[in-house]
Amino acid sequence: MRLDACASTPSEDAEAEPCRVAEYEYVDRQRDPIARKVRLEPGRGGQRKYFFWEVLDADTGNWRSAKAGEGNPRVLYNLPLLSDADRIHVCEGEKAADALVNAGVVATCAPTTGWLPEYTDSIAQASAPVTLWVDRDEAGETQARRSLDAMRQAGVQVEVVRGRIDEPRADAHDHLREGFGPDDGEPFDLDLAVELAPGSIPMHRAASSGDLVFTRFSDVEPEEVEWLFAGYIPKGKITISNGDPEAGKSTTSIDIAARVTIGRSMPDGSPGILGNVVVIGSEDGLADTMLPRFLAAEGDPERAVLINGVRTREEGVPTLFELPGDVSRLEEMIVQEGAALVVIDPLTAFLAAEVNAYVDKDIRRALTPLAQMAERTGVAVLVIRHLNKSAGGDNPLYRGAGSIGITGIARQELLTARDPEDENRRVLAVSKASLGPKAPSLSFRIVPFGTTSRIEWLGEAGFTARQLLSEPSSTEERSARDEASEFVRDVLAAGPVAAADVFKRGKAEGFGEKAVRGAKDRLGVKSKKLGFEGGWKWIMPEHMPTEDGAGLNASVSGHLGDLGRLQGMNADIEGLTKTVAGEDPQDAPSSTHGHLREGDDETEIEEVLL
């Protein structure tokens, strides 16, 4: 039922308060209420719309928000109307179903994403032919495909149509709104559409040769990214969660999964999403580790399943789930369960034997079907991965185990690490954000809870992913780092020193080049090419010249010569690259000069310039 008081709420207004625009009551065959779905517009967390369930309170007889395990009625919408129907119209949502009923036909839909055997039974018992309406988007085709296959297997006669409005996401409601009737649907060959474009949106225009298909940008309506955990875990995408053993990455994934099963707000206080969870795990036992942690996080066990393996009809004995071979089976479970989140922990345990995790081509072939499945179903996929042995230094994009292709195919990447300033705390940071700005890092503790443990979230943390990886992980490493910083500070205390001399003196004192460069970064030391004939000099920030020349001590003046003469050369310097102007190419973007790359030695750069 649409609520007129909210019908004009501007869903495009991201700042607008969510408004209760519709209530859809689900009843049994005797018309007794089971649950009520409420639609809000705009949705929370930047979504266009948001749904939640209500149930009747046994004591008061009033509707209240559903608790964990309540809500999903597992019956079709408008169930009592089906028994006397001459034809049943099946569509994707209640809004479209109501529009069809108002147009004089019997219409229904499933309460959540997916198509359960109970729905097929209800349709088959009605002994009426079906008109199946397919929404004009990939998710609509996926939903229609599942219901079509199930009804065909039950012997139901099904006619497949689409609305006449050729716009992205258009449905039966849009069709009727533009004046078309319920019998005016456009015949649609769902089998052909799926065959032509497996795993992607059907193409609208074919190339003249007939061999290529394409989509013109102007035919596509821009869509906002939808989030399971706003800023951290997007819906319909792969998110990689990296971390060392005992950093807390598996525990945080269980905490987030538990929140989804009860619709609880996320760790940063943003709105949660109620849904089911599918876990594919191998490192932790279900009974003694995963379930206790899940219950400690107040998760609803009725809404979570663990995939134990795959049983083939030929062998009968379950085998380990594999990527990419079992993605289609995973998709079936996601649709059946109405899952909002899939957790794979860890990734490497479930790659097929022929997949080399360190070969980019292998990884992309293994994970692309998983990414396409996530896009089709809208499910958020959270993949746990271990860190490598410092092969990528402090760059988080290169610290995940395996090929860089894993990072490439993920749209979001997280890092879980120990807090450098408090050994009892951990930090969850965003290391890659392809869909928007990076969200703030979050601090947490793993605290005892009975015989298990749970997460206690502590708010925002002041560390980036790169900073977390650059920090030493032991007292010995921290001491060595501090000693290197003290050495560089002492060497530069009197003024600028040639970089080559700093390295030479550092080597004599037992500090390697990497340690000296790390100290330079921590202290904010600047590199300047003082004059055209001099080499690169390192300068402490407090010794850097100001606009009027202040801040230079006598030794700096000795290197610069006549400061006024140098300032008078600005016109000549202006036409040169940043490097010639005196900026350290290591501190500048790699695009500053076509011949410079991040990490090039100053001596090599000087040779290029001269």
Side-chain angles (χ1 to χ4, degrees):
M1 176 181 65
R2 190 81 180 181
L3 304 180
D4 293 336
C6 294
S8 60
T9 300
S11 61
E12 295 82 3
D13 184 0
E15 302 299 325
E17 286 295 322
C19 186
R20 194 182 186 105
V21 299
E23 298 169 345
Y24 305 111
E25 191 170 309
Y26 280 77
V27 299
D28 60 21
R29 293 187 181 277
Q30 287 72 45
R31 299 182 183 274
D32 292 326
I34 302 174
R36 184 167 71 180
K37 182 190 286 189
V38 178
R39 176 175 177 143
L40 300 180
E41 291 182 8
R44 299 183 293 183
Q47 302 175 57
R48 292 185 301 107
K49 58 188 176 182
Y50 178 79
F51 296 96
F52 67 91
W53 288 98
E54 293 181 333
V55 295
L56 284 175
D57 189 283
D59 296 327
T60 66
N62 297 324
W63 291 100
R64 61 167 173 79
S65 296
K67 298 179 181 179
E70 301 176 331
N72 185 356
R74 300 177 74 91
V75 299
L76 290 173
Y77 189 52
N78 294 330
L79 180 62
L81 301 181
L82 305 188
S83 57
D84 298 326
D86 295 326
R87 173 174 288 274
I88 301 172
H89 292 250
V90 177
C91 51
E92 187 176 338
E94 294 87 358
K95 182 178 178 181
D98 282 351
L100 286 164
V101 170
N102 291 335
V105 298
V106 173
T108 187
C109 66
T112 60
T113 303
W115 188 265
L116 301 181
E118 297 98 302
Y119 309 154
T120 304
D121 292 342
S122 297
I123 295 290
Q125 290 172 15
S127 300
V130 167
T131 296
L132 178 61
W133 290 81
V134 183
D135 288 6
R136 287 181 180 263
D137 60 11
E138 192 172 0
E141 290 187 3
T142 299
Q143 175 77 348
R145 174 82 270 174
R146 300 301 180 189
S147 57
L148 175 62
D149 289 345
M151 289 187 287
R152 280 177 172 172
Q153 292 176 10
V156 177
Q157 178 185 345
V158 183
E159 171 194 26
V160 183
V161 301
R162 291 194 304 186
R164 297 282 178 177
I165 308 305
D166 188 8
E167 296 177 357
R169 296 203 301 261
D171 60 6
H173 173 270
D174 300 304
H175 170 90
L176 296 169
R177 184 192 59 206
E178 295 300 321
F180 295 100
D183 298 324
D184 298 332
E186 175 185 289
F188 183 62
D189 192 333
L190 188 58
D191 297 314
L192 182 60
V194 173
E195 180 181 352
L196 282 176
S200 63
I201 298 175
M203 306 303 179
H204 299 301
R205 295 184 176 91
S208 59
S209 66
D211 295 327
L212 297 177
V213 290
F214 66 89
T215 299
R216 193 174 298 279
F217 280 26
S218 59
D219 291 343
V220 179
E221 180 181 344
E223 297 180 358
E224 293 183 0
V225 176
E226 295 187 349
W227 297 87
L228 180 94
F229 179 5
Y232 299 86
I233 304 176
K235 296 172 65 176
K237 314 289 182 185
I238 294 177
T239 298
I240 303 292
S241 178
N242 296 314
D244 280 324
E246 299 185 351
K249 56 188 181 298
S250 295
T251 309
T252 55
S253 70
I254 289 295
D255 177 87
I256 292 170
R259 291 169 182 271
V260 171
T261 63
I262 59 175
R264 188 179 183 182
S265 60
M266 287 298 164
D268 64 344
S270 61
I273 291 177
L274 179 64
N276 289 359
V277 174
V278 175
V279 178
I280 308 171
S282 67
E283 293 190 336
D284 294 322
L286 176 59
D288 60 10
T289 304
M290 294 175 62
L291 180 59
R293 288 178 180 174
F294 182 82
L295 295 176
E298 302 178 7
D300 178 4
E302 287 292 328
R303 287 185 172 272
V305 297
L306 172 69
I307 293 181
N308 299 312
V310 177
R311 179 182 287 111
T312 63
R313 294 180 180 178
E314 295 78 11
E315 299 179 4
V317 179
T319 58
L320 191 66
F321 177 91
E322 287 188 348
L323 293 171
D326 294 321
V327 169
S328 60
R329 295 183 175 92
L330 175 60
E331 183 172 0
E332 291 175 0
M333 172 160 283
I334 290 169
V335 173
Q336 176 180 323
E337 291 290 321
L341 172 66
V342 171
V343 179
I344 302 177
D345 184 9
L347 171 63
T348 52
F350 300 102
L351 292 174
E354 63 272 16
V355 176
N356 188 332
Y358 290 86
V359 175
D360 184 81
K361 182 172 67 174
D362 282 9
I363 280 297
R364 291 185 182 276
R365 287 179 176 175
L367 297 186
T368 294
L370 182 67
Q372 292 175 338
M373 181 277 294
E375 192 78 27
R376 287 194 298 272
T377 61
V379 72
V381 178
L382 180 61
V383 178
I384 309 300
R385 179 171 63 154
H386 297 299
L387 293 177
N388 58 35
K389 303 300 182 182
S390 300
D394 61 0
N395 188 337
L397 299 183
Y398 293 93
R399 283 300 311 277
S403 166
I404 187 64
I406 299 173
T407 295
I409 207 163
R411 297 298 82 203
Q412 198 84 353
E413 197 164 74
L414 310 175
L415 172 70
T416 304
R418 292 183 181 274
D419 187 321
E421 298 178 353
D422 188 339
E423 61 181 15
N424 295 318
R425 294 190 180 193
R426 311 286 199 279
V427 177
L428 176 67
V430 178
S431 53
K432 174 185 175 181
S434 298
L435 306 173
K438 287 184 179 179
S441 299
L442 301 176
S443 178
F444 67 93
R445 280 197 297 257
I446 300 177
V447 297
F449 188 84
T451 59
T452 185
S453 59
R454 63 182 296 174
I455 298 289
E456 178 184 327
W457 295 97
L458 305 173
E460 293 186 9
F463 298 97
T464 65
R466 183 181 288 270
Q467 289 171 334
L468 291 171
L469 291 175
S470 66
E471 293 293 331
S473 58
S474 66
T475 302
E476 293 79 7
E477 290 178 349
R478 190 173 295 109
S479 176
R481 178 200 66 177
D482 294 342
E483 290 177 3
S485 297
E486 190 65 27
F487 162 76
V488 172
R489 186 183 291 109
D490 290 343
V491 170
L492 302 180
V497 177
D501 290 342
V502 179
F503 288 129
K504 183 177 180 180
R505 293 169 64 176
K507 184 177 181 180
E509 295 290 334
F511 298 107
E513 182 175 330
K514 181 178 179 181
V516 174
R517 287 188 183 276
K520 170 181 178 287
D521 292 340
R522 287 190 296 275
L523 296 174
V525 172
K526 303 298 182 182
S527 295
K528 287 289 179 180
K529 196 172 189 302
L530 304 179
F532 288 97
E533 297 180 359
W536 290 100
K537 312 288 184 179
W538 284 10
I539 309 174
M540 290 294 290
E542 57 266 28
H543 295 158
M544 288 295 294
T546 59
E547 291 184 1
D548 59 1
L552 293 175
N553 57 27
S555 62
V556 178
S557 299
H559 284 293
L560 289 177
D562 184 354
L563 180 61
R565 178 177 60 83
L566 183 62
Q567 290 176 328
M569 299 173 65
N570 283 343
D572 294 329
I573 294 175
E574 209 165 12
L576 301 176
T577 64
K578 280 189 174 183
T579 306
V580 178
E583 296 184 14
D584 186 351
Q586 297 181 79
D587 298 331
S590 60
S591 60
T592 299
H593 191 287
H595 295 86
L596 304 182
R597 300 182 306 276
E598 181 179 0
D600 283 343
D601 184 80
E602 284 99 342
T603 304
E604 296 174 354
I605 295 171
E606 185 177 354
E607 292 175 354
V608 171
L609 294 173
L610 299 178

